[in-house]
């Protein structure tokens, strides 16, 4: 099989996927392309022919690709194998995607990397279930350039009637899924008809050959020429030998950047400037571009989380979407259906967030691929247009514009259950947290003892006091000391440590470990209970940011909370009530918080 080493990189390169139903001739087509374009390793064709002769087996071009044992034993392609061929115009990487329905996930893997696609239909068998499904998936995955190749015309005596019938049927299907301007080419891959040269056996067909059509595919713009996209994979902070660098690391997906360029991180919208480009064991660089795995230091020490998307400020017109809701075309592969309201995980670029299916716009049925309206779940092998919503904002693009930041997978029970492409942002009237609180309040039986009466009885204003900061800060010691000081001054107060394990409070049995969103939700609910009863609740939560604080504010409403930050601040927009630099003595920190509580009229007097 041709290898990447055989392909000098002076010419343009294009990725093409070949899909189709089982036994419709993909391997034969690819093998013939490799042979007819002289793209095989020297002597390979002769070697395979000699092997067939010695085994008294008729030679087939498909044998050139049968390298995997499973393919040889089962007679089907089970992986998206790569091969390479060249023309005078450019070099190609061909992804031979499997056609069997059980290997649909592998087919998607191959198609997701393609810039163009060939879809094979057997002239004798006609349009099959997978023929429709593969056409929809190519469209769904953003493959815009699609050519339908009607193969094995020699088995139907090169009949124009058969060709026109298949073309008419499949064109009607493509119109249903909004695919237009698709070419149809009648061929015999085994005989070589209309593959690299025009066939004399089908004079009624006057269109291009497969090879000339492939050469007519348009190459996508070079990634370095697109606006800058840098998903943050991790942030490394050095602490030894007076090295205080904080390196933002990842791989540049599109665009170029240089030292001194102003940058914006999404969705936090924090801004800074590139101070230096950092690479391990490599010469110092002033500029880098698409494909570079690299790190950056910034002029300002921002708190940036993995999963954020770094862009250039000068390219604000091409900024990504930032939000919690998006519309997507997606496919589902899990035996368990995709359900509304169930919690899943989305993996988008370097982001990993909880995600919920909020709306099913349209489903293409798994067996008939007919449109099903008002379906309440997405079943295995279904393809659907859906709306998803996350708790935390995401930065994303339309997949038609930016592949890496517009394609995603959905994880359920630690397995990839489905995936798709983002087609746009969606404006939601309420966030998931707001909808949850509204539902909670509707079911709430309010006490006849109002807050004013409780305040008068307890001689205090109920308040949730939350201390945040780095995990290694002294916030827990201060929180405990604050509780003691308030208690000794006669106040009704309680310190709730996260180490008390909130798993047992409102835990969702379908999920094991308590994650951050669950912690925040449950902490907010407890704060709502405590403050509604007139008490002062004190708790701590490490490394809070704007989103965490906004979620807590919504859950604890209408009772506000005090936010006290220790050491480095991770907040960009949310107002902090008190900032305490460290190191500081515990008593001194408690004194400052007590003064704040008195200023806010939470307590009228105190003693330490």
């Amino acid at each position: 099989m041709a290898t990447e080493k055989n392909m000098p990189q002076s010419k343009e390169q294009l990725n093409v996927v070949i899909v189709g139903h089982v036994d419709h001739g993909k391997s034969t087509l690819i093998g013939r392309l490799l042979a007819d374009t002289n793209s095989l390793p020297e002597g390979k064709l002769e070697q395979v022919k000699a092997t067939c002769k010695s085994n008294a087996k008729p030679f087939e071009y498909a044998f050139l690709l049968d390298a995997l044992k499973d393919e040889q034993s089962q007679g089907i392609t089970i992986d998206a194998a790569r091969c390479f061929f060249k023309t005078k115009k450019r070099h190609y990487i061909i992804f031979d995607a499997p056609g069997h329905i059980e290997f649909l996930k592998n087919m998607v893997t191959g198609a997701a990397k393609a810039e163009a696609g060939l879809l094979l239909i057997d002239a004798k068998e006609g349009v099959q279930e997978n023929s429709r499904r593969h056409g929809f998936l190519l469209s769904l995955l953003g493959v815009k350039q699609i050519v339908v190749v009607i193969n094995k015309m020699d088995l139907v005596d090169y009949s124009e009637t058969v060709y026109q019938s298949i073309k008419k049927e499949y064109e009607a299907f493509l119109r249903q899924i909004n695919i237009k301007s698709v070419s149809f080419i009648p061929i015999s891959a085994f005989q070589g008809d209309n593959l690299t040269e025009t066939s004399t056996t089908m004079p009624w067909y006057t269109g291009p050959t497969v090879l000339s059509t492939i050469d007519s595919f348009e190459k996508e713009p070079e990634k370095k020429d697109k606006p800058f996209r840098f998903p943050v994979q991790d942030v490394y902070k050095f602490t030894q030998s007076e090295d205080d660098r904080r390196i933002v690391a990842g791989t540049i997906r599109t665009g170029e950047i240089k030292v001194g360029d102003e940058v914006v991180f999404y969705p936090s919208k924090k801004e800074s400037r590139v101070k230096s480009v950092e690479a391990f064991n490599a010469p110092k660089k002033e500029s880098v571009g698409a494909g570079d795995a690299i790190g950056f230091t910034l002029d300002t020490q921002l708190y940036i989380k993995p999963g954020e998307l770094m862009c250039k400020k000068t390219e604000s017109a091409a900024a990504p979407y930032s939000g919690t809701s998006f519309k997507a075309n997606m496919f589902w592969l899990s035996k368990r259906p995709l359900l509304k309201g169930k919690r899943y995980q989305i993996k988008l670029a370097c982001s990993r967030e909880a995600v919920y299916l909020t709306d099913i716009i349209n489903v293409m049925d798994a067996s008939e691929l007919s449109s099903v309206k008002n379906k309440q779940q997405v079943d295995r092998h279904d393809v659907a247009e859906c709306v998803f919503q996350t708790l935390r904002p995401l930065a994303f693009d339309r997949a038609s514009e930016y592949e890496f930041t517009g394609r995603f997978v959905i994880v359920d029970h630690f397995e990839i259950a489905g995936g798709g492409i983002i087609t746009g942002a969606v404006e939601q009237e309420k966030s998931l947290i707001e909808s949850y609180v509204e539902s909670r309040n509707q079911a709430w039986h309010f006490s006849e003892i109002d807050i004013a009466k409780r305040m008068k009885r307890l001689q205090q204003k109920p308040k949730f006091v939350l201390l945040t900061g780095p995990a290694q800060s002294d916030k827990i010691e201060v929180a405990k000391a604050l509780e003691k000081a308030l208690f000794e001054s006669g106040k009704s107060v309680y310190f709730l440590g996260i180490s008390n394990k909130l798993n047992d409070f409102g835990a969702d049995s379908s999920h094991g470990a308590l994650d951050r969103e669950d912690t925040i939700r449950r902490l907010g609910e407890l704060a709502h209970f405590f403050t509604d009863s007139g008490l002062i609740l004190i708790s701590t939560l490490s490394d809070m940011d704007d989103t965490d604080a906004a979620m807590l504010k919504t859950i604890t409403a209408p009772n506000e909370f005090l936010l006290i930050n220790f050491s480095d601040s991770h907040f960009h927009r949310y107002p902090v009530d008190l900032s305490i630099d460290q190191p500081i003595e515990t008593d001194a920190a408690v004194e400052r918080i007590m003064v704040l509580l008195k200023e806010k009229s939470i307590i009228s007097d105190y003693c330490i």
Side-chain angles (χ1 to χ4, degrees), residues 223-231 251-258 261-264 274 288-290 294 296 309-313 315 318 320 397 402:
K223 291 184 177 181
K224 65 180 180 61
D225 296 329
K226 290 186 175 183
F228 183 75
R229 293 289 189 272
F230 179 77
T251 300
I252 301 173
R253 295 300 168 176
T254 57
E256 296 178 312
I257 199 167
K258 64 182 184 299
D261 282 347
E262 293 181 301
V263 295
V264 183
V274 175
V288 283
I294 211 75
F296 300 98
L309 189 60
M310 177 172 146
C311 304
K312 289 165 70 172
K313 188 175 181 179
E315 296 173 341
D397 290 293
Y402 300 89

Side-chain angles (χ1 to χ4, degrees), residues 343 436 501-512 514-515 517-519 521-523 525-526 529:
R343 181 183 170 193
Y436 163 75
K501 293 187 179 180
L502 302 176
N503 304 60
D504 297 330
F505 176 76
D508 184 348
S509 60
S510 65
H511 299 281
L514 182 70
D515 67 10
E517 283 74 22
D518 287 332
T519 300
R521 178 175 61 82
R522 294 167 194 169
L523 178 61
E525 286 290 7
L526 284 172
F529 295 156

Side-chain angles (χ1 to χ4, degrees), residues 588-606:
V590 170
E591 174 69 23
R592 291 190 60 185
I593 298 172
M594 294 287 271
V595 169
L596 175 66
L597 294 178
K598 188 173 182 180
E599 290 175 349
K600 297 286 186 179
S601 301
I602 296 167
I603 56 175
S604 57
D605 51 43
Y606 63 93

Side-chain angles (χ1 to χ4, degrees), residues 397-467:
D397 290 293
R398 284 196 294 263
S400 59
E401 298 172 352
Y402 300 89
E403 173 187 323
F404 192 78
T405 51
R407 289 177 174 170
F408 63 90
V409 296
I410 301 293
V411 177
D412 183 28
H413 291 83
F414 306 103
E415 293 182 349
I416 294 177
I421 62 169
I422 295 175
T423 58
V426 175
E427 291 291 335
Q428 295 281 9
E429 292 183 5
K430 299 183 183 70
S431 69
L432 285 172
I433 290 295
E434 288 171 335
S435 297
Y436 163 75
V437 170
E438 184 179 84
S439 176
R440 177 199 69 187
N441 292 342
Q442 287 175 352
W444 195 279
H445 293 282
F446 291 94
S447 172
E448 294 182 3
I449 304 172
D450 60 25
I451 289 294
K453 292 178 181 178
R454 297 180 189 276
M455 289 172 59
K456 184 176 181 180
R457 167 69 64 86
L458 298 174
Q459 292 298 298
Q460 65 185 37
K461 184 178 180 181
K463 186 63 66 173
F464 175 32
V465 182
L466 183 59
L467 284 63

Side-chain angles (χ1 to χ4, degrees), residues 206-221:
T206 58
T209 64
V210 171
L211 194 61
S212 62
T213 300
I214 291 175
D215 271 344
S216 71
F217 287 148
E218 294 182 4
K219 176 70 179 174
E220 290 185 1

Side-chain angles (χ1 to χ4, degrees), residues 526-539:
L526 284 172
H528 185 79
F529 295 156
F530 272 83
T531 54
D532 202 51
S533 67
L535 303 180
I536 297 173
L537 176 67
I538 303 169
S539 192

